[in-house]
Amino acid sequence: MGAGIIGAYASRADGAWLHEEERPGPGWHRHDWKPRRLLVLTDRGVGVATVLRRRWRLHGTTTTRLDRSPDEVGRRHVVLLVLLVKLWAWLSSGLGVHAYDELHPALEGHGSRRTVQRWLSAVLPDAVRLQQALRTAVIERFEPQPVERLFPGGLSPPDGIRRRRWKDPERIYALATGLVFLHRGAEAGAASRTVLLALARRRLDGPLNIASA
């Protein structure tokens, strides 16, 4: 898993993480911090982190702007890595959403099975973009070794995915393939899941749809 987060944060004395981007433009001034508590999965296990996002205010007005962390996914109280790990546990299992086991048992109490279904629906519109970004990240990190070493039997969605009937199979297959790159790339030592996901996020053309849902 690595550090469990893809953003770069400063750390406060009380352990909170600070996220501040560049000043939005002339006339914008630092106003305050807006806290957000997020569930994080690291090599040490599951924990809750407080992220303080910088809020800016345009001088002479009541207009404000908030710097959102790249680990946030809309109103959900989990970081992006946790969301994708929970989706992969379901998709790779070959079982129904109410029957699969979590890859990390500590995640069982975070995000109901119905919630995971909603997460899948939200991320599917960006499945192809995410797949392409993850594939590129893994290939570049794995060079100069041939990427075929990661997939000696070829690359295809797990049998459990192909056996099930999905409303949108093409996007499901694309998402599953992207997650195969993420997890197998990390297992093969290309980089941690956190690093691979961070590299992929930078390559995305625009934000993930799930971040605004």
Side-chain angles (χ1 to χ4, degrees), residues 126-166:
D126 291 308
V128 174
R129 295 171 55 229
L130 187 58
Q131 173 204 19
Q132 293 171 344
L134 285 167
R135 179 181 182 276
T136 300
V138 171
I139 289 175
E140 291 184 355
R141 290 290 297 195
F142 210 65
E143 290 179 342
Q145 302 179 69
V147 74
E148 287 77 11
R149 179 182 167 188
L150 288 173
F151 313 106
L155 177 62
S156 61
D159 290 339
I161 293 177
R162 290 186 279 114
R163 286 198 304 265
R164 297 191 61 198
R165 292 185 178 182
W166 302 94

Side-chain angles (χ1 to χ4, degrees), residues 93-129:
S93 70
L95 302 173
V97 70
H98 297 291
Y100 76 89
D101 292 325
E102 296 286 358
L103 295 180
H104 295 270
L107 292 178
E108 182 62 49
H110 303 283
S112 70
R113 300 306 169 99
R114 182 70 187 96
T115 295
V116 174
Q117 286 180 308
R118 290 196 295 268
W119 289 351
L120 179 63
S121 297
V123 81
L124 277 185
D126 291 308
V128 174
R129 295 171 55 229

Side-chain angles (χ1 to χ4, degrees), residues 178-201:
L179 294 178
V180 168
F181 271 104
L182 176 64
H183 292 285
R184 290 196 186 171
E187 291 166 359
S192 70
R193 289 168 177 81
T194 299
V195 169
L196 293 176
L197 187 56
L199 292 172
R201 186 66 185 266

